Amino acid sequence: MIAAFFGLILSQLLWTGQASKTIPYSEFLQDLRGGRVAEVVLSDTSIQGKYTAPDAEGHRSFATTRVEPGLAAELDRYHVRFSASPGGGWLATLLSWVVPIVFWVGIWWFMLRGAARQGAGGLLAIGKSRVKLYVESDTGVTFDDVAGVDEAKAELREVVAFLRDPVSYGRLGAHMPKGVLLVGPPGTGKTLLAKAVAGEAGVPFFSISGAEFVEMFVGVGAARVRDLFEQAHNHAPCIIFIDELDALGSARGLSVLGGHDEKEQTLDQLLAEMDGFDTRSGVVILAATNRPEILDPALLRAGRFDRHVLVDRPDRTGRAQILKVHLRTAKIASDVDPDKVAGLTPGFTGADLANLVNEAALHATRRDAEAVAMEDFTAGVERIVAGLEQHGRLMNPKERLTIARHEMGHALVALSLPGADPVHKVSIIPHGIGSLGYTMQRPTEDRFILSRGELADRMAVLLGGRAAELVCGGDLSTGAADDLAKATDTARAMVLRYGMSDKIGHVVYDDQSRPYLDRLNEPNVAQTREHSEATAALIDKEVRSILQAAFEKATHVLEERRGTLEAGAQLLVDRETLDEDELRQLLARTGLAGTQSTAAA
Ligand code: ADP
Ligand code: ZN
């Protein structure tokens, strides 16, 4: 590169030499007097000019270095041939050129090296940058190594079947999704699952982390995405796994810090690549995130990551299964019972459990034991819990009971009211991200219209959580905020949109239900308030009384079933998840079987 610069300088020197000649100042004065100079350009130190006609050697122009006018006149008087040397000679001129260039090139090179060390491949390598890929031709992981996430496994089996035989899979026109998004908290086994899919299908596993795409130089990330897909296509069928998709694909405008353009370019390239390939080529993209809510909606559109698989924290049974997987390689004393250890570790993820087995083994080694015993596990649990609690992760026993009562409240009210959907599952394990427990209801059929009674029952179910907290003698908790918001929405809709309030009558006040054009046609109406202050007060009152009635209904149901509520909450603390069967057994045991028909009015 430096040679190129020298070449440039040299050619410039040659060129100027041909076009004009450098002459002594005395010669310039002679030319001037002889009328051979047509025009001149003056600078502080030099004079450049054009001859009226080419001289003997064919030069059309000249340059000379200025001499102080007084001295020049004196010298000229004695007909001395004289010239000035241009400020320190040609070497100094050349150096004043070259030194800054060398300096800047040096800095540039230094920065490139820095970028290269960060894994970018550097600016020089943009065009042919090889992605720092982690390729495993055989991951060696199977579904047996992943435990406690049966639903996610079941969903991914289809991907395995497809990868094993992409051609005949598409025989009947069946479509394989291009992108599957694994959603769940960190450490729940998303990476492990993706590897297991590759292992089960016996295909190569290309993996890269979204965080790695966020590079210093614009354009590098996009080039890497292009490369990644190119390489994957050459190895199809295969899996591309993108960890931390949110680092790359968070919604535009969300990132305040730099790297913005870069991220957008990389994301656009990823979208383009995903749109550009045919699933029949046998490439499936799996991605993982624990923050699906911040992903750019463009990523989730049909034909991209349109299938989502939830990878939740394991419940007690799940934890016991995960422990069994990790205990396979450890030497275990006979007193170790995975179920008991699972009971000690609420809120642990798969990664926490793997860590626990390791801690226990270390503990046993330190005390020179023959095998890892139960005492090592209890010691390990204490250590890990202390660490996790620092990050505010685990629920304490009192919180667990509060959540269990709350969820059981939802479930019991739902089981008791005819207008509510049947309960499928109750759990105090956080579901997905950012929730406490959950109660899953399964609608028996698709519904297009709902009656006032059904809406009232649904609101009672929503308020059942808070009602249970009160019925059991607890204080109000913040855990019901979501429920309250949903119930309030329903109540407002009943009054404002569906005209279901007796006091207000069959009137619609919700302006959203009126087409915009209608409002334009009646400008007077559009500009005034839709209802008077008095009506507004009445609406508020009606919404509140509908909610109050629903809350009382829930409370009534739960007070009648207080024994079941308490027993159910205890069972839930113990088992963490209760399914339909277990709930039915609970109701039978506490003498409330078949309450779904004996509804409270
Ligand atoms: P994620 O990608 O969801 O953050 P990983 O797949 O990286 O989690 O999990 C880290 C480690 O934790 C795994 O390598 C494995 O040892 C352990 N692990 C996590 N989940 C499970 C599980 N469901 N079954 C068995 N081991 C698990
Ligand atoms: Zn709730």
Side-chain angles (χ1 to χ4, degrees):
M1 169 170 315
I2 290 173
F5 270 99
F6 274 115
L8 198 76
I9 291 168
L10 210 67
S11 71
Q12 185 149 22
L13 287 176
L14 283 175
W15 186 81
T16 45
Q18 261 169 15
S20 75
K21 70 172 169 179
T22 305
I23 53 172
Y25 196 70
S26 54
E27 192 182 322
F28 162 65
L29 288 178
Q30 279 164 22
D31 287 346
L32 190 61
R33 286 190 200 107
R36 289 186 288 276
V37 177
E39 56 175 275
V40 292
V41 178
L42 305 176
S43 81
D44 276 354
T45 54
S46 69
I47 296 171
Q48 289 176 335
K50 286 205 181 104
Y51 294 121
T52 43
D55 68 356
E57 290 136 65
H59 291 297
R60 290 172 179 280
S61 56
F62 63 88
T64 181
T65 309
R66 282 179 111 161
V67 174
E68 197 214 318
L71 183 61
E74 196 71 8
L75 289 168
D76 194 38
R77 211 142 49 95
Y78 298 100
H79 303 286
V80 179
R81 184 182 148 92
F82 63 93
S83 66
S85 93
W90 67 271
L91 191 69
T93 316
L94 196 65
L95 279 182
S96 73
W97 262 73
V98 169
V99 170
I101 289 173
V102 169
F103 178 74
W104 287 113
V105 166
I107 288 203
W108 191 36
W109 179 74
F110 195 73
M111 275 168 45
L112 282 181
R113 253 200 7 174
R117 217 179 305 121
Q118 284 185 355
L123 254 187
L124 293 173
I126 288 178
K128 51 180 169 60
S129 82
R130 293 280 107 184
V131 183
K132 201 174 86 195
L133 276 177
Y134 300 98
V135 196
E136 293 180 45
S137 50
D138 179 15
T139 58
V141 180
T142 69
F143 276 150
D144 287 342
D145 300 312
V146 197
V149 282
D150 295 337
E151 280 160 36
K153 271 201 260 184
E155 287 195 56
L156 290 171
R157 267 183 222 288
E158 193 193 346
V159 180
V160 173
F162 165 73
L163 285 170
R164 276 195 187 141
D165 193 358
V167 179
S168 67
Y169 195 91
R171 190 174 44 98
L172 299 179
H175 267 297
M176 194 58 223
K178 285 181 188 174
V180 181
L181 188 62
L182 305 171
V183 180
T188 44
K190 298 182 290 297
T191 312
L192 195 66
L193 263 173
K195 282 189 181 176
V197 171
E200 290 277 336
V203 300
F205 180 77
F206 290 79
S207 80
I208 191 152
S209 168
E212 283 176 35
F213 276 121
V214 186
E215 294 292 350
M216 237 165 102
F217 291 103
V218 175
V220 175
R224 294 173 112 197
V225 170
R226 214 175 304 126
D227 258 13
L228 174 63
F229 278 81
E230 199 183 297
Q231 292 191 34
H233 279 297
N234 294 338
H235 291 88
C238 69
I239 281 188
I240 296 178
F241 178 65
I242 306 176
D243 204 0
E244 297 181 81
L245 183 66
D246 43 281
L248 167 68
S250 57
R252 289 145 214 248
L254 267 187
S255 94
V256 195
L257 298 169
H260 190 74
D261 282 352
E262 167 61 6
K263 220 162 75 175
E264 256 173 40
Q265 281 199 8
T266 312
L267 179 57
D268 287 342
Q269 186 67 37
L270 176 64
L271 296 177
E273 293 287 352
M274 283 190 85
D275 292 343
F277 81 84
D278 190 336
T279 37
R280 275 169 298 184
S281 66
V283 178
V284 174
I285 310 168
L286 301 182
T289 182
N290 56 356
R291 293 187 296 171
E293 71 284 353
I294 69 161
L295 286 181
D296 195 308
L299 271 172
L300 307 179
R301 229 165 270 154
R304 294 165 183 172
F305 292 104
D306 51 5
R307 192 176 297 189
H308 300 181
V309 174
L310 197 62
V311 189
D312 252 332
R313 287 205 181 82
D315 61 7
R316 184 169 175 165
T317 334
R319 289 199 302 271
Q321 286 162 3
I322 295 174
L323 279 167
K324 279 177 199 153
V325 168
H326 290 280
L327 290 177
R328 285 193 304 221
T329 49
K331 211 171 161 211
I332 298 298
S334 57
D335 70 334
V336 176
D337 175 6
D339 292 316
K340 245 195 250 157
V341 179
L344 294 173
T345 51
F348 275 43
T349 62
D352 297 332
L353 292 169
N355 187 14
L356 171 62
V357 172
N358 190 42
E359 283 281 343
L362 284 175
H363 192 267
T365 316
R366 276 199 293 272
R367 64 178 181 90
D368 273 336
E370 282 291 295
V372 190
M374 197 62 191
E375 62 165 296
D376 302 310
F377 278 96
T378 39
V381 168
E382 272 166 30
R383 251 183 103 135
I384 293 174
V385 165
L388 291 178
E389 269 176 354
Q390 271 179 355
H391 297 98
R393 269 268 301 280
L394 292 181
M395 296 177 264
N396 65 33
K398 194 168 153 234
E399 250 177 31
R400 279 160 61 81
L401 185 62
T402 306
I403 294 171
R405 283 172 172 163
H406 178 107
E407 295 305 332
M408 207 58 213
H410 285 308
L412 268 188
V413 176
L415 285 167
S416 311
L417 296 180
D421 290 325
V423 179
H424 174 47
K425 200 171 169 188
V426 199
S427 174
I428 58 168
I429 296 289
H431 188 53
I433 290 103
S435 76
L436 298 168
Y438 62 94
T439 301
M440 219 187 268
Q441 285 174 276
R442 193 167 46 196
T444 31
E445 61 210 285
D446 280 343
R447 300 296 301 268
F448 297 106
I449 52 167
L450 291 164
S451 68
R452 176 154 76 172
E454 284 165 333
L455 284 173
D457 283 357
R458 282 175 183 220
M459 281 190 291
V461 172
L462 284 169
L463 296 174
R466 161 148 292 192
E469 292 174 35
L470 287 180
V471 167
C472 294
D475 199 355
L476 295 179
S477 82
T478 55
D482 236 30
D483 302 338
L484 292 182
K486 274 190 213 146
T488 310
D489 282 349
T490 310
R492 284 193 75 80
M494 284 174 76
V495 174
L496 294 175
R497 203 173 319 144
Y498 306 136
M500 284 181 178
S501 148
D502 294 333
K503 294 239 174 62
I504 293 192
H506 313 286
V507 185
V508 169
Y509 283 110
D510 185 355
D511 51 356
Q512 271 167 15
S513 62
R514 291 181 59 209
Y516 178 65
L517 279 178
D518 258 19
R519 274 180 274 151
L520 275 189
N521 291 336
E522 304 165 63
N524 295 333
V525 184
Q527 271 155 30
T528 52
R529 282 180 59 113
E530 299 240 335
H531 42 72
S532 63
E533 290 289 340
T535 313
L538 190 60
I539 288 171
D540 286 346
K541 205 168 143 217
E542 277 298 280
V543 170
R544 218 172 313 136
S545 86
I546 287 180
L547 284 172
Q548 187 58 29
F551 186 75
E552 273 161 23
K553 193 190 240 176
T555 310
H556 178 75
V557 169
L558 293 175
E559 269 169 352
E560 274 194 339
R561 296 160 176 75
R562 172 121 193 231
T564 313
L565 177 62
E566 292 280 12
Q570 277 307 330
L571 196 64
L572 203 48
V573 166
D574 201 41
R575 295 209 200 141
E576 294 173 11
T577 308
L578 298 178
D579 60 19
E580 243 170 312
D581 279 344
E582 288 168 312
L583 280 171
R584 213 173 297 126
Q585 284 163 20
L586 169 76
L587 294 183
R589 228 177 319 123
T590 49
L592 284 166
T595 40
Q596 190 109 37
S597 50
T598 68

